[in-house]
Structures are given as structure tokens and as C-alpha cells.
Amino acid sequence: MSTARFGRYWHLLSRFAAASVVATAVSQVVFLVSYSLGSPPTASTVLAWLAGAIPNFVLNRRTWGGGGRSALRGEILRFGAISVGTALLAALATHGAEILATSQFPDNRPAQIAIVWGAFAGTYVVMFAVKFVLIDRLVFTGHRQQRRAR
């Protein structure tokens, strides 16, 4: 990999990480508040996903440069598919974690919250690298097309 190409990916990765931190912070707060107030883990996951997906898309579109107005619909659909897939994995993980947590700590709500929240956060940590590659290769492809046109 050339130095210029490596530098480009390092730039994208650092900006992707910053966007992910913002989206994750929003999602984590919404998840913790919602689940702590008694929402089921799947509902809390969906609320958290909605709260984080919008700033995540906007910030990542700025990072990659998007393909302009004409490409917006396709970018939203492809980003949405990746984002929904991640949310579904998180919903499965939190549901399973809640079953485990309530059976192991039936009278300890703080422990249950910690375990279920750990499953939620862990899903997004694991998906970080996968999402970076998918977003770069499948969602915001306009930057590669612009380079080829030059």
C-alpha cells in the first residue's frame, strides 16, 4: 500500500472513529436511560440505534465526502442496511444477556443493567472495524469514482 493511500485510510479511520464516538455516546446514554427505566432490552436497543444512527450517517457522509445529492438515496439505503444489521445483532446480544443476567442475578438490577449494557456496547465495539470496511467499500463510493474520473 502506498504512503498516500495509507495516509488517506488513516485520515478516514480517524474521522470514522470520531463520528463513532459521537454516535456511540448518544446511543449509550439513550440505551442506559431507557433500559434503566424499565424498557425491554430490544426496545432500548432500537431507541439507542435511532438516536445514534442519524448523527453517525451525517458525520460519516462528511468524512467520505458523499456522492452528492443524486447519490444520497442509495447512500442512505446502504448505510441503513449496515446500521440495521448492527442493531439487530445488538438486539440479539442484549436479549440473550438479559436472560443470562436475570437468571444469575434475579434480585440485583444494577448487575443486570451492567451485563445487558456490556452486551450492547460490546456489539458495537466488535462491529467497528466491520462497519468501517463496509462503509468505505459499499456506502460512500463517490470518492473513488471522482478519483477515477480525474
Side-chain angles (χ1 to χ4, degrees), residues 17-52:
S20 294
V21 166
V22 170
T24 298
V26 170
S27 292
Q28 297 299 315
V29 168
V30 170
F31 182 86
L32 279 172
V33 168
S34 174
Y35 187 69
S36 295
L37 293 175
S39 290
T42 303
S44 297
T45 298
V46 170
L47 290 172
W49 169 76
L50 286 171

Side-chain angles (χ1 to χ4, degrees), residues 60-94:
N60 280 308
R61 191 165 199 264
R62 286 186 186 161
T63 294
W64 267 271
R69 194 174 172 110
S70 62
L72 181 61
R73 182 182 307 162
E75 291 169 353
I76 289 171
L77 290 173
R78 291 186 301 271
F79 184 89
I82 293 165
S83 188
V84 167
T86 303
L88 289 172
L89 289 172
L92 288 170
T94 57

